Amino acid sequence: MGQDTGVSDRRLVFDHVSKRYGDVVALQEATFDVRAGELFGFVGSNGAGKTTAMRIALGVLAADSGVVWWEGAPITAETRRQIGYMPEERGLYPRMKVGEQLVYLARLHGLSATGAQRAMEQWTELLGVAARRDDEVQKLSLGNQQRVQLAAALIHDPTILVLDEPFSGLDPVAVDVMSRVLQGKAAEGIPVVFSSHQLDLVERLCHRVGIIRSGQMVAVGTVDELRAGGAVHLVVDAPHAGPDWADALPGVHLRGWEGNRVVLELDPGADDQLVLQTALATGPVREFTRRQATLTELFRNVVTTNEQEPAA
């Protein structure tokens, strides 16, 4: 992939990127793209390869093979200056004052003294930490440290955002603030990729999602696209039915309970009308709802399926 393939738009493209640490495969031919104006949710279990991929994009790590592209050309040191990066382990100086630290980081990115001061004031105000500019970072709550870390990623007006677990440990108010900022940057046409274990939040915010397992991309698409290939669930409230009333139905699997309601998963081609008839045979049916899987359920199914494939 590259200029000769017609990739000339504002996309961050991971093109068959691989990385090994001895016998451990961190990334294996990982391929996906993050488009201009898009919030891309990068999800996977701990150790799946998310952070490795982000660090390769930043140049912190070198890929063993494959290329990361931006606007149809391989990413360079100059390109990386355009990236706003929020590392999972955070990177703030704990004894440095918030305002001084943000100005310092802005100056490192080439802003003038006046521009750096203005950017610091803008982002601390927008992120709700303006009153803490003269406080040392170590004296802030975790939520406020997260806000300052996001300000550090945005201080130089980046054209790409790469954020590793930006919502980790945030209270609901801080999550809302962070969400609005990321949506605003995407609305400006900036590609935004972030990793998160909060799949309900990813489902609500993201235009597209990539699921990675053991260094391999196992699913990429919108939530609706991923759902289209996923299992169908039935939520059934049959108060007089026994706990095993659906066990003998072909292609029907118990997935759990929601109060008195049973959640069933149907294999492709399974007959939902047979499920309804069986439920009615036990007595009244108060609810019979067909729904598609949530992103959490999709993630669980995709990861479990792929874990079983080698053994199969």
Side-chain angles (χ1 to χ4, degrees), residues 95-157:
R95 297 182 181 276
M96 199 170 182
K97 293 180 180 179
V98 170
E100 292 176 355
Q101 182 155 185
L102 292 176
V103 168
Y104 170 71
L105 293 173
R107 295 283 282 150
L108 285 181
H109 278 285
L111 273 69
S112 67
T114 301
Q117 181 68 24
R118 186 182 303 117
M120 180 275 290
E121 293 172 356
Q122 172 193 349
W123 283 110
T124 53
E125 189 70 40
L126 187 60
L127 292 169
V129 287
R132 311 305 298 270
R133 290 171 185 163
D134 293 328
D135 293 342
E136 293 180 357
V137 169
Q138 65 183 357
K139 295 181 179 178
L140 303 184
S141 66
L142 175 60
N144 280 337
Q145 288 185 32
Q146 293 273 71
R147 297 183 194 213
V148 175
Q149 186 75 63
L150 180 60
L154 295 165
I155 197 74
H156 59 295
D157 195 23

Side-chain angles (χ1 to χ4, degrees), residues 167 170-180 198 201 204:
F167 296 97
L170 295 185
D171 61 63
V173 173
V175 166
D176 287 343
V177 171
M178 186 83 72
S179 299
R180 287 195 299 271
Q198 296 167 259
L201 187 62
R204 175 165 57 88

Side-chain angles (χ1 to χ4, degrees), residues 27-44:
L27 288 176
Q28 185 174 346
E29 300 274 317
T31 300
F32 64 97
D33 69 326
V34 186
R35 301 164 187 172
E38 177 178 68
L39 281 165
F40 185 94
F42 196 24
V43 301

Side-chain angles (χ1 to χ4, degrees), residues 226-244:
L226 298 181
R227 281 174 171 167
V232 172
H233 287 187
L234 290 176
V235 181
V236 184
D237 185 358
H240 296 164
D244 57 354

Side-chain angles (χ1 to χ4, degrees), residues 43 196-206 294-296:
V43 301
S196 180
H197 292 295
Q198 296 167 259
L199 300 186
D200 56 337
L201 187 62
V202 172
E203 183 171 9
R204 175 165 57 88
L205 288 179
C206 291
T294 65
L295 181 59
T296 299

Side-chain angles (χ1 to χ4, degrees), residues 12-303:
L12 181 67
V13 180
F14 292 77
D15 184 7
H16 295 87
V17 176
S18 297
K19 180 68 178 178
R20 298 178 66 96
Y21 298 98
D23 294 333
V24 177
V25 178
L27 288 176
Q28 185 174 346
E29 300 274 317
T31 300
F32 64 97
D33 69 326
V34 186
R35 301 164 187 172
E38 177 178 68
L39 281 165
F40 185 94
F42 196 24
V43 301
S45 304
N46 289 332
K50 303 183 301 296
T51 297
T52 297
M54 292 180 172
R55 287 177 174 172
I56 288 173
L58 267 291
V60 176
L61 293 175
D64 295 335
S65 62
V67 183
V68 181
W69 306 87
W70 170 242
E71 294 186 319
I75 271 195
T76 64
E78 183 58 35
T79 309
R80 292 185 177 103
R81 290 178 176 270
Q82 304 175 41
I83 300 177
Y85 178 50
M86 187 172 179
E88 181 180 11
E89 59 277 353
R90 310 308 177 225
L92 300 172
Y93 299 104
R95 297 182 181 276
M96 199 170 182
K97 293 180 180 179
V98 170
E100 292 176 355
Q101 182 155 185
L102 292 176
V103 168
Y104 170 71
L105 293 173
R107 295 283 282 150
L108 285 181
H109 278 285
L111 273 69
S112 67
T114 301
Q117 181 68 24
R118 186 182 303 117
M120 180 275 290
E121 293 172 356
Q122 172 193 349
W123 283 110
T124 53
E125 189 70 40
L126 187 60
L127 292 169
V129 287
R132 311 305 298 270
R133 290 171 185 163
D134 293 328
D135 293 342
E136 293 180 357
V137 169
Q138 65 183 357
K139 295 181 179 178
L140 303 184
S141 66
L142 175 60
N144 280 337
Q145 288 185 32
Q146 293 273 71
R147 297 183 194 213
V148 175
Q149 186 75 63
L150 180 60
L154 295 165
I155 197 74
H156 59 295
D157 195 23
T159 56
I160 311 165
L161 275 177
V162 178
L163 313 171
D164 202 351
E165 293 291 343
F167 296 97
S168 177
L170 295 185
D171 61 63
V173 173
V175 166
D176 287 343
V177 171
M178 186 83 72
S179 299
R180 287 195 299 271
V181 169
L182 299 189
Q183 288 171 321
K185 300 310 287 185
E188 294 175 13
I190 291 174
V192 180
V193 55
F194 70 89
S195 65
S196 180
H197 292 295
Q198 296 167 259
L199 300 186
D200 56 337
L201 187 62
V202 172
E203 183 171 9
R204 175 165 57 88
L205 288 179
C206 291
H207 301 96
R208 288 191 307 135
V209 177
I211 300 176
I212 187 170
R213 177 197 168 267
S214 300
Q216 293 181 298
M217 300 301 296
V218 292
V220 179
T222 67
V223 173
D224 286 343
E225 287 169 346
L226 298 181
R227 281 174 171 167
V232 172
H233 287 187
L234 290 176
V235 181
V236 184
D237 185 358
H240 296 164
D244 57 354
W245 66 271
D247 285 359
L249 294 173
V252 178
H253 312 279
L254 175 65
R255 282 295 174 254
W257 294 82
E258 296 177 355
N260 294 323
R261 305 180 303 168
V262 63
V263 181
L264 304 172
E265 182 177 305
L266 272 61
D267 289 341
D271 187 357
D272 60 354
Q273 294 306 301
L274 179 58
V275 178
L276 177 58
Q277 292 168 16
T278 305
L280 285 168
T282 71
V285 175
R286 296 175 179 172
E287 181 180 352
F288 188 82
T289 305
R290 186 182 178 97
R291 75 181 188 194
Q292 290 181 304
T294 65
L295 181 59
T296 299
E297 291 164 337
L298 286 169
F299 174 76
R300 186 183 302 118
N301 290 343
V302 167
V303 170

